[in-house]
């Protein structure tokens, strides 16, 4: 059991590293959206990301409903991250 727990812990570290990479990509998306005057929430893209996650989950033998729940939380966190970034850009423009 000790070896299995160590393997799970190592995998968790890898997942966190991947989430950190995703976070950095969301920052990039926020900068692009600010430059192009786009909103943080783009409804069709949210649904596309969730549908992709469901499809990938099913292909990997995972429960699509569970993955959808997790991904919707992940996407909402990303939208909030972009909103903060977009709000910061607006505040910077008003400071001039």
């Amino acid at each position: 059991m000790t070896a299995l727990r160590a393997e799970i812990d190592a995998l968790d570290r890898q997942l966190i590293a991947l989430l950190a990479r995703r976070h950095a990509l969301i920052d990039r998306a926020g900068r692009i959206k600010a430059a192009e005057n786009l909103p943080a929430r783009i409804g069709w893209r949210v649904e596309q990301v969730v549908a992709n996650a469901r499809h990938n989950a099913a292909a990997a033998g995972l429960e699509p409903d569970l993955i959808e729940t997790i991904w919707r939380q992940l996407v909402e966190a990303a939208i909030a991250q972009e909103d903060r970034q977009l709000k910061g850009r607006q505040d910077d423009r008003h400071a001039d």
Side-chain angles (χ1 to χ4, degrees):
M1 199 62 200
T2 301
L4 179 59
R5 287 181 180 143
E7 192 173 343
I8 290 169
D9 290 346
L11 183 59
D12 286 348
R13 285 189 296 277
Q14 291 173 16
L15 288 169
I16 295 298
L18 288 172
L19 289 170
R21 282 182 52 198
R22 190 180 198 286
H23 184 86
L25 292 173
I26 297 301
D27 277 344
R28 286 177 52 194
R31 288 191 296 274
I32 292 168
K33 286 180 177 182
E36 295 182 8
N37 200 29
L38 294 170
R41 180 182 303 278
I42 300 174
W44 67 264
R45 179 59 181 151
V46 169
E47 296 310 314
Q48 184 181 53
V49 169
V50 171
N52 288 341
R54 286 184 64 87
H55 172 78
N56 293 333
L62 298 173
E63 175 53 48
D65 290 343
L66 172 62
I67 298 304
E68 178 176 348
T69 298
I70 293 167
W71 245 254
R72 285 197 183 276
Q73 289 187 347
L74 185 63
V75 168
E76 288 304 317
I79 290 168
Q81 178 184 342
E82 288 178 357
D83 272 336
R84 288 188 300 274
Q85 192 171 10
L86 292 173
K87 185 180 182 316
R89 297 274 177 146
Q90 291 170 350
D91 290 347
D92 290 346
R93 284 188 291 227
H94 293 291
D96 293 339

